[in-house]
Amino acid sequence: MTKHVDVAVVGAGFAGMLAAHNMRKLGLTVQGIEKGSEVGGTWYWNRYPGLRCDVESVEYSYSWDEELQQDWTWSERYSAQPEILEYAKHVADRFKIRELFQFNTAVTGATFDNAANTWTVTTDKGEAITARWVVMATGALSTPKPVDIKGHESFAGQSLFSTDWPSTPVDFSGKRVAVVGTGSTGIQLATEIAKTAKELFVLQRTPSWSVPANNKPLTAEYVASVKANYAAERERKRHSMDGLGLPGPEKAAFEATDEEREAYYQYIYENLSPFTFFGSYLDVLVDDAANQTISDFLGRKVHERVNDPAIADKLIPKSYPFGTRRTCIDSGYYEIYNQPNVHLVDLLESPMKQITPTGFETEAQAYEVDVIVYATGYDAFTGILNNVDLVGIDGANLRDVWKQGAKTYLGTMSVGFPNLFLVTGPQSPSVLSNVVVSLEQHVEWITDCIEYLTKQGYHRMEATQEAQDAWVEQNNAIGQFTVHRNSHSWYMGDNVAGKPHVVLPALMGVGPFRAACSEVAADGYRGFALAS
Ligand code: NA7
């Protein structure tokens, strides 16, 4: 039997929970669908040891309910995954959000009925749900990149995946372990595994920049000071460039003396979020020489932390400008290379040949290991949307429409797919911001939009080609203006074979993005075709 609701919400992560809650508040009928058995999204699926958020906990939390933010108290500066999952569960309990979702159910596809202006959402349980509006709250980093190393299925030891970690603790003591990948995930995992493994081989292709987390328990005084001004500070951050409202002097890098710059970078390094570097000087994300001053500073830090200068040198990124790949925070990452049981395998120097039944082989030598841990990243932004069959007008599948590159208007809708809202989709700030601030903005905008459409008696909303083209073009132009023009990364889709090189996140910043979305709404949803 087909169930009919006003709104179907896919995903019970931070975005989906809020979307379902908001739709119910509008008085609409809602069906949430979640593949996992619990709320939490990325914090439900990811549970590898050492996993910690790289945005401070008092910021990485909902701001839409004052009592919630006053009642909940974070224990550490950067939360570990179990605490964030507990928070998500607390919110679900507090606002009775679970009753809006069907868990343990994966969406397999959705097809638009062009005459009825409804979507039929299908699930792996064989169900069909029709909905006027669909909100895809599926996250930008939810589909792992397939392992693309020759021979990986032949490995006879234990293969572990950061994105599908066993629910019982894994004991690495006495084992020879290889970690593949040195993004945020690989860095966190390697730091943890180095504590107990007999031998740890860290397989690095592209090094990341990493800055000490300086994680610490939060004092009662600090928490009280945050809570005293929570609402006002949240509001300020909503209009900032990164959603974090980090400080930045109003001058260009070379307007400061070398000593001034060094002192300021040192201050950021010791005290502030690493994302502060992005706005440290006005021109660091647009001017290559200004940008290089940060790399030079951080390179010196790597040398201070790693005893062997040759290894330190290999750990220093050289192939991309600072800020065009995720800057990581760590809890002793570089120092693991001072331990006798930890070995850096530089795949740029000796490329990987293959994985074998007993380990792996580079061009230079063969290694025997008991465990291989893959921290090889995601098919970001589009993976999850392309893995289900989203069929819009005239039977077009989103994955085919996006073959030459994902395109949206305001990150929220793609031409040919009416009534299908994306949250933190391509060309929205999402991963280049405090994503909770971004997803709240997106979900609130969608909520206001659906309320408007409902009140005005509209049954259909579709992005126009003209508006979408202009939005994508503007984002590409910003990409060309910034240091991203010289980079290849998952922000551009470059990590997945065959994926087109497109600027996936919106680079304009959180505040300007919010302003653009608000203007569109105030102008009667300019750039969208509305119909009853
Ligand atoms: P990332 O940042 O995409 O990192 C993946 C890492 O895996 C990166 O170092 C890759 O090197 C490496 N990789 C991928 N495929 C291979 C192969 N075939 N051989 C060797 N190395 C490989 O993903 P994370 O999970 O660490 O972080 C994603 C986000 O999650 C992060 O930014 C936070 O926002 C949270 P490459 O760059 O391809 O040379």
Side-chain angles (χ1 to χ4, degrees), residues 209 294-304 312 316:
W209 285 117
I294 301 176
S295 299
D296 291 345
F297 171 83
L298 292 177
R300 288 194 288 279
K301 293 291 153 195
V302 177
H303 275 281
E304 282 172 20
I316 293 175

Side-chain angles (χ1 to χ4, degrees), residues 4 79 91 111 145 193 241 331 372 379 436 445 462 501 527:
H4 182 76
S79 307
V91 174
T111 302
K145 184 185 95 149
I193 295 170
M241 286 301 281
S331 303
I372 299 181
D379 183 352
V436 182
W445 189 90
E462 185 184 359
H501 178 89

Side-chain angles (χ1 to χ4, degrees), residues 48 54 141 145-149 162-163 180-187 203-208 325-326 347-348 352 375-378 431 488 490-491 495:
Y48 60 81
D54 58 6
L141 295 167
K145 184 185 95 149
V147 175
D148 53 4
I149 305 174
S162 66
T163 50
V180 190
T182 50
S184 291
T185 305
I187 282 179
L203 278 60
Q204 170 189 277
R205 191 163 60 187
T206 310
S208 294
R325 284 172 175 247
R326 187 81 169 191
L347 298 178
L348 290 181
M352 173 75 97
T376 44
Y378 295 86
V431 294
H488 291 271
W490 61 259
Y491 292 155
N495 64 329

